[in-house]
Amino acid sequence: MKTAAVIAEYNPFHNGHSRHLKEARALTGADFVMAVMSGDFVQRGAPAVFHKYMRTRMALLSGAGLVLEMPVFGSVASAEDFASCGVSLAAKTGAADFLSFGSESGDLNFLERQAALYEAETPEVSARIREGLKRGLSWPRAREKAFLHTDAPVPVSPNDILACEYLRAIKSHGSSMLPVPVVRNDGGYHSSGRKGSFASATAIRKALAENDLDFLTEVVPEAFFSCLKLESCPQVTADDFSMILNEKLLTLPLCELTGISGMPEDLARKLHKNRLSFASFSERTASSKDRQYTYARVSRCLLNTVLGITREETERFKALDSAPWLRILGFRKDALPLLSEIKKHSAVPMITKTADAADLLSGPSLELFYKHLQCAELYRLAAELKTGRPMKNEFTRSPVII
């Protein structure tokens, strides 16, 4: 039995994701494709536009056999830590033979060369990065220009950068998974347009915000709207957490703010200084970013502040190889052989029922699991306030079964 793993956010699920699942299976000859998916919060430092169960249902209807949840400590993190968490979770199943990922170039040799460059950042490259920052470049742009002086340029496209991190993570975790890139066929990560029946998640989130149904019907699977109705799933945005963010910044002492995961000290001081100037989440992010800290990095810091995720908790999570458990969000009945395989070979506990966690986990793992659930309940709070309707909590919600 062969299994291909994919690491994804599905924020939201669209035709490009459906194509990736089909291509991953075709290119690898896999019997099953399992997705390691971000839960309710995503890597760019925002809540997922729809909750994880709706996105899980879409993935299962579109070709995934199993969906595992990436814990919040890995999903709201830098590209390096996000990739490390996803790869570690897939590897810990003991069932993944391949790791398939989207790529603008689709050239594995090129990506492997770039990943090797990341591993061998020289003092000269580091110095050029610092020079670029002094000239007013953003950190990603300074890093890109610094590597242009080496044998090969650093990739500038977001998915190629992430692909390099996957390759590095496969190596660092000692995984035997074979990497399989799939070329993206939309307009690119930041594209706001449509290319046939494909569009980026960025463009689709914009269309959702504008209620552009004509655009949406062209770029999402047919089952998208029925899943949305079935799951009673409202759109959630970062600004739905503005009041919590303002309360946190108002009441947290500076020493605790600097202890938030990923929070630079100078950014903490800036936020603390401006704590009496209330603003929305997005306004706060825009006013706090600068040439050194990208919008996404600032947004992750603010989201970690809302969720109360500390640097210490993140380090404890990493110390557990960024994979203390495997939590099942959903599966197809015809993928039961895959579940049986994971039960036999998984290196960490597999959680199907949330209530069983106390019997399966202990110590730091259990504490982190409960913190993860607490973050998910904050998402549910925002969703319920938007609709005025109650939703099942993390203890009463069952996995999606197709």
Side-chain angles (χ1 to χ4, degrees):
M1 187 173 72
K2 294 181 181 179
T3 301
V6 300
I7 301 168
E9 293 186 323
Y10 297 150
N11 187 36
F13 194 94
H14 55 66
N15 288 343
H17 296 134
S18 182
R19 173 182 172 273
H20 179 205
L21 290 172
K22 291 181 176 65
E23 287 290 308
R25 193 165 187 167
L27 290 171
T28 62
D31 300 285
F32 302 103
V33 179
M34 65 176 173
V36 177
M37 188 188 78
S38 299
D40 290 315
F41 299 95
V42 296
Q43 200 262 335
R44 64 191 182 94
V49 66
F50 298 120
H51 66 58
K52 57 195 173 193
Y53 298 105
M54 184 274 181
R55 288 150 48 229
T56 293
R57 186 175 294 276
M58 280 303 314
L60 295 174
L61 288 173
S62 301
L66 169 69
V67 179
L68 300 173
E69 181 180 19
M70 182 184 292
V72 67
F73 310 99
S75 68
V76 184
S78 66
E80 179 181 359
D81 290 343
F82 173 88
S84 179
C85 180
V87 168
S88 184
L89 286 165
K92 287 290 193 295
T93 66
D97 303 289
F98 308 93
L99 178 69
S100 181
F101 45 83
S103 164
E104 278 83 3
S105 69
D107 185 339
L108 184 58
N109 289 330
F110 168 76
L111 295 171
E112 288 176 336
R113 291 198 303 271
Q114 304 313 305
L117 282 176
Y118 283 173
E119 293 286 352
E121 183 176 313
T122 64
E124 289 77 16
V125 170
S126 298
R128 285 196 288 268
I129 292 175
R130 291 193 295 271
E131 290 172 6
L133 292 173
K134 290 178 181 178
R135 294 199 306 270
L137 298 177
S138 67
W139 190 88
R141 182 61 176 161
R143 189 174 191 234
E144 174 196 339
K145 291 184 72 65
F147 273 103
L148 286 172
H149 293 275
T150 60
D151 293 336
V154 69
V156 297
S157 52
N159 281 276
D160 275 358
I161 292 173
L162 190 55
C164 289
E165 297 297 351
Y166 289 142
L167 295 175
R168 293 178 64 195
I170 289 173
K171 180 180 177 181
S172 67
H173 286 288
S175 171
S176 61
M177 288 187 295
L178 299 176
V180 180
V182 173
V183 179
R184 286 177 65 113
N185 61 342
D186 56 30
Y189 183 84
H190 294 299
S191 172
S192 59
R194 178 168 63 87
K195 186 178 179 181
S197 60
F198 298 96
S200 69
T202 300
I204 295 170
R205 288 192 297 271
K206 181 175 181 291
L208 283 166
E210 297 172 352
N211 198 31
D212 187 346
L213 295 180
D214 291 337
F215 185 96
L216 291 170
T217 52
E218 294 290 335
V219 296
V220 297
E222 187 176 343
F224 181 91
F225 295 102
S226 60
C227 286
L228 203 58
K229 184 177 181 180
L230 180 64
E231 293 288 347
S232 300
C233 191
Q235 293 181 46
V236 178
T237 71
D239 283 345
D240 292 321
F241 295 84
S242 296
M243 182 171 288
I244 299 177
L245 176 61
N246 282 306
E247 187 273 337
K248 291 282 188 178
L249 294 178
L250 180 66
T251 59
L252 280 179
L254 180 59
C255 61
E256 291 187 26
L257 194 57
T258 55
I260 293 295
S261 181
M263 181 74 74
E265 186 174 346
D266 55 343
L267 177 58
R269 292 185 180 280
K270 183 176 182 179
L271 292 169
H272 186 70
K273 180 181 179 181
N274 296 326
R275 64 190 183 280
L276 298 180
S277 299
F278 302 137
S280 70
F281 192 111
S282 54
E283 290 169 341
R284 184 86 70 174
T285 304
S287 64
S288 299
K289 73 173 288 295
D290 56 27
R291 68 188 186 195
Q292 186 172 1
Y293 305 125
T294 62
Y295 189 98
R297 184 175 180 186
V298 172
S299 191
R300 284 195 296 271
C301 290
L302 294 180
L303 184 56
N304 281 329
T305 301
V306 167
L307 301 177
I309 297 175
T310 66
R311 184 176 291 107
E312 179 186 0
E313 288 170 329
T314 299
E315 291 305 315
R316 289 162 66 194
F317 181 75
K318 290 181 181 180
L320 294 167
D321 213 18
S322 297
W325 61 79
L326 300 173
R327 189 185 185 201
I328 296 176
L329 289 179
F331 60 90
R332 294 182 61 90
K333 293 178 182 178
D334 57 14
L336 286 174
L338 173 59
L339 280 172
S340 297
E341 189 76 4
I342 295 174
K343 286 180 181 178
K344 292 178 185 177
H345 301 291
S346 172
V348 294
M350 183 168 67
I351 299 172
T352 305
K353 295 181 180 179
T354 308
D356 293 341
D359 297 324
L360 298 171
L361 303 174
S362 61
S365 295
L366 184 59
E367 292 173 10
L368 290 170
F369 184 75
Y370 283 145
K371 182 59 172 280
H372 170 80
L373 295 184
Q374 184 183 79
C375 295
E377 291 304 316
L378 283 177
Y379 185 98
R380 183 173 67 91
L381 171 63
E384 284 195 7
L385 289 175
K386 294 201 83 164
T387 63
R389 298 191 303 271
M391 298 168 59
K392 289 185 177 181
N393 63 47
E394 289 295 287
F395 286 91
T396 58
R397 177 73 203 224
S398 301
V400 177
I401 303 175
I402 302 295

